[in-house]
């Protein structure tokens, strides 16, 4: 975590001046105040929120985090790690963090976990979910009942949530299109694996990808679009089958948490020439495939930051009534290739 001294060095002022601004004691000019606040935001400074909560008598918040089973897709383990790191920062305020795992992405499964969290007495909920109409309506009902909800990773529009933290799906798709343009010099014959059609951000990624490819003006064609249900074994079978059915495919876009399964299928097929592969995340399996050259490039989504930020935003609201100034916190689309692992 950043310190006041680090902010002071970046802003070119004394630590005492930073302290006056951060704690609202006044006596600092507007230009200097603005410079300090910019430095604090750049360093992602977080004041001692736990101590402030204790002094106000607010503590023992139960925050429930609903996400896909990390045992099925490693990406969600990183989100979990970020959420736990936030609780460590807030340890003195006795925040209680409880995880509920989705075994599938069915509408009923998500509704069940949301209802369990409410029945459990959650003060706040963070959820990684789909944008199915019933899910959107249930989140809206929960927030109207006074329980703040943060959506994480998968953007869910118009559900009344406190805020969202995750990747800008459309930009992530356009970033993938730019990478494909750079790494595939032949005419593009594209195969696409999505996690789920019902996930808003998977479809937005695909929209961003196709828009980016169209703008490049190069000839390209779409050979297949399949859904893997974010399951490594399903993804293995789908890619193996589709690559045999479509030998013309020279580029794969993997918008799924099961990219490792897709890459294992490519290895098993022993193709004369591997397709160019662009995917997301930086899990151990993806790192392995980057090192082997099976994956050409991946786009990081900062899952640890997603989990951490969601919990901290809920805590700020519960402890201090702080409504986020920005409703949507977008993580960076970080391009990762073999050379910068």
């Amino acid at each position: 975590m950043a310190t006041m001294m680090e902010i002071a060095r970046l802003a070119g002022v004394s630590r005492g001046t930073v302290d006056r601004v951060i704690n609202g004691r006044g006596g600092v000019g507007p230009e200097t105040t603005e410079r300090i606040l910019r430095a604090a935001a750049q360093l992602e400074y977080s004041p001692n929120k736990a101590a402030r909560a204790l002094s106000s008598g607010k503590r023992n918040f139960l925050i429930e985090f609903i996400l896909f089973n990390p045992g099925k897709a490693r990406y969600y383990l990183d989100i979990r790690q970020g959420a736990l790191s936030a609780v460590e920062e807030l340890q003195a305020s006795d925040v209680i963090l409880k995880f509920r795992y989705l075994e599938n992405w069915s509408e009923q499964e998500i509704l069940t976990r949301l209802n369990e969290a409410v029945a459990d007495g959650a003060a706040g909920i963070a959820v990684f979910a789909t944008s199915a109409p019933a899910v959107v309506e249930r989140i809206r009902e929960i927030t109207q009942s006074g329980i703040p909800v943060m959506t994480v990773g998968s953007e869910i529009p118009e559900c009344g949530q406190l805020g969202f933290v995750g990747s800008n799906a459309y930009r992530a798709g356009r970033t993938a299109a730019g990478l494909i343009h750079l790494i595939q010099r032949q005419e593009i014959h594209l195969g696409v694996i999505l996690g789920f059609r019902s996930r808003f951000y998977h479809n937005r990624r695909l929209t961003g990808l196709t828009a980016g490819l169209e703008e490049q003006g190069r000839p390209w064609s779409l050979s297949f679009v399949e859904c893997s249900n974010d399951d490594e074994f399903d993804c293995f079978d789908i890619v193996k089958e589709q690559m045999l059915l479509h030998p013309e495919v020279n580029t794969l876009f993997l918008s799924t948490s099961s990219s490792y399964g897709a890459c294992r299928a490519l290895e098993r097929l022993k193709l004369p020439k591997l397709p160019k592969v662009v995917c997301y995340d930086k899990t151990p399996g993806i790192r392995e495939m980057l090192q082997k050259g099976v994956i050409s490039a991946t786009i990081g989504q900062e899952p640890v930051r997603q989990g951490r930020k969601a919990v901290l935003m809920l805590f700020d609201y519960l402890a201090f009534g702080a409504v986020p100034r920005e409703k949507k916190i977008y993580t960076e689309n970080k391009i990762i290739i073999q050379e910068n692992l």
Side-chain angles (χ1 to χ4, degrees):
M1 292 175 59
T3 64
M4 287 193 186
M5 184 58 72
E6 289 171 325
I7 295 171
R9 282 197 291 266
L10 183 59
V13 298
S14 69
R15 185 194 179 284
T17 302
V18 172
D19 182 72
R20 286 198 297 276
V21 170
I22 295 297
N23 292 296
R25 297 194 178 96
V28 180
E31 290 185 6
T32 302
T33 296
E34 179 63 25
R35 194 163 71 248
I36 289 170
L37 291 176
R38 280 201 308 269
Q42 183 177 334
L43 294 170
E44 293 191 348
Y45 173 75
S46 177
N48 193 334
K49 297 177 181 180
R52 288 169 56 203
L54 283 171
S55 67
S56 66
K58 297 179 178 179
R59 56 191 297 174
N60 296 320
F61 299 114
L62 172 61
I63 294 176
E64 302 225 6
F65 208 125
I66 300 169
L67 73 161
F68 196 64
N69 187 342
K72 295 185 176 182
R74 171 57 194 265
Y75 170 74
Y76 300 98
L77 190 62
D78 291 339
I79 291 180
R80 184 178 186 275
Q81 178 188 334
L84 289 170
S85 72
V87 173
E88 288 179 8
E89 292 178 34
L90 304 169
Q91 190 172 14
S93 63
D94 293 336
V95 169
I96 302 166
L97 180 63
K98 185 173 182 178
F99 292 98
R100 293 186 181 275
Y101 297 125
L102 301 168
E103 297 303 323
N104 59 67
W105 290 105
S106 71
E107 183 178 285
Q108 188 55 54
E109 175 83 356
I110 299 167
L111 291 173
T112 298
R113 299 293 165 259
L114 284 168
N115 291 335
E116 287 173 348
V118 172
D120 206 23
I125 298 171
V127 59
F128 204 124
T130 69
S131 52
V135 173
V136 173
E137 181 58 29
R138 185 62 183 128
I139 292 174
R140 188 181 294 113
E141 290 172 354
I142 291 170
T143 59
Q144 289 174 349
S145 75
I147 302 172
V149 177
M150 282 291 300
T151 53
V152 186
S154 181
E155 195 168 348
I156 304 175
E158 300 179 4
C159 65
Q161 74 270 44
L162 176 67
F164 163 75
V165 56
S167 172
N168 183 317
Y170 184 78
R171 290 182 185 173
R174 290 184 64 87
T175 301
L179 285 169
I180 289 171
H181 177 69
L182 290 172
I183 64 179
Q184 181 54 270
R185 307 315 301 167
Q186 300 176 356
E187 181 175 338
I188 299 165
H189 298 286
L190 183 65
V192 173
I193 303 292
L194 301 179
F196 291 86
R197 283 284 192 183
S198 59
R199 296 271 283 281
F200 174 81
Y201 82 101
H202 280 167
N203 289 304
R204 288 292 289 165
R205 277 183 186 171
L206 184 55
T207 301
L209 175 81
T210 55
L213 292 175
E214 287 292 334
E215 288 180 16
Q216 290 164 10
R218 290 177 56 195
W220 70 282
S221 61
L222 183 60
S223 296
F224 65 83
V225 179
E226 296 288 337
C227 297
S228 69
N229 299 320
D230 276 352
D231 184 285
E232 299 285 4
F233 297 101
D234 286 353
C235 197
F236 177 95
D237 292 337
I238 291 167
V239 170
K240 187 177 178 182
E241 178 184 7
Q242 290 300 318
M243 291 302 295
L244 290 173
L245 288 173
H246 300 281
E248 77 281 359
V249 168
N250 59 11
T251 309
L252 273 181
F253 172 61
L254 305 177
S255 179
T256 173
S257 297
S258 54
S259 296
Y260 184 68
C263 294
R264 290 295 303 273
L266 293 176
E267 287 188 315
R268 182 69 60 87
L269 286 168
K270 300 187 182 301
L271 301 168
K273 186 176 182 181
L274 284 172
K276 302 294 185 182
V277 177
V278 173
C279 63
Y280 294 91
D281 309 324
K282 192 182 172 183
T283 61
I286 288 174
R287 290 175 62 92
E288 174 192 333
M289 292 301 171
L290 271 169
Q291 289 168 341
K292 289 181 174 180
V294 178
I295 293 174
S296 306
T298 188
I299 301 167
Q301 304 177 80
E302 300 184 290
V304 173
R305 184 186 174 205
Q306 290 183 31
R308 174 181 174 273
K309 193 70 174 176
V311 171
L312 292 179
M313 289 172 74
L314 280 170
F315 178 81
D316 280 349
Y317 180 81
L318 293 168
F320 313 116
V323 177
R325 283 179 292 182
E326 295 181 68
K327 282 286 188 180
K328 297 179 181 181
I329 307 295
Y330 287 129
T331 52
E332 292 185 51
N333 290 316
K334 295 185 175 181
I335 297 171
I336 304 157
I337 56 176
Q338 189 180 72
E339 287 77 10
N340 69 344
L341 271 175

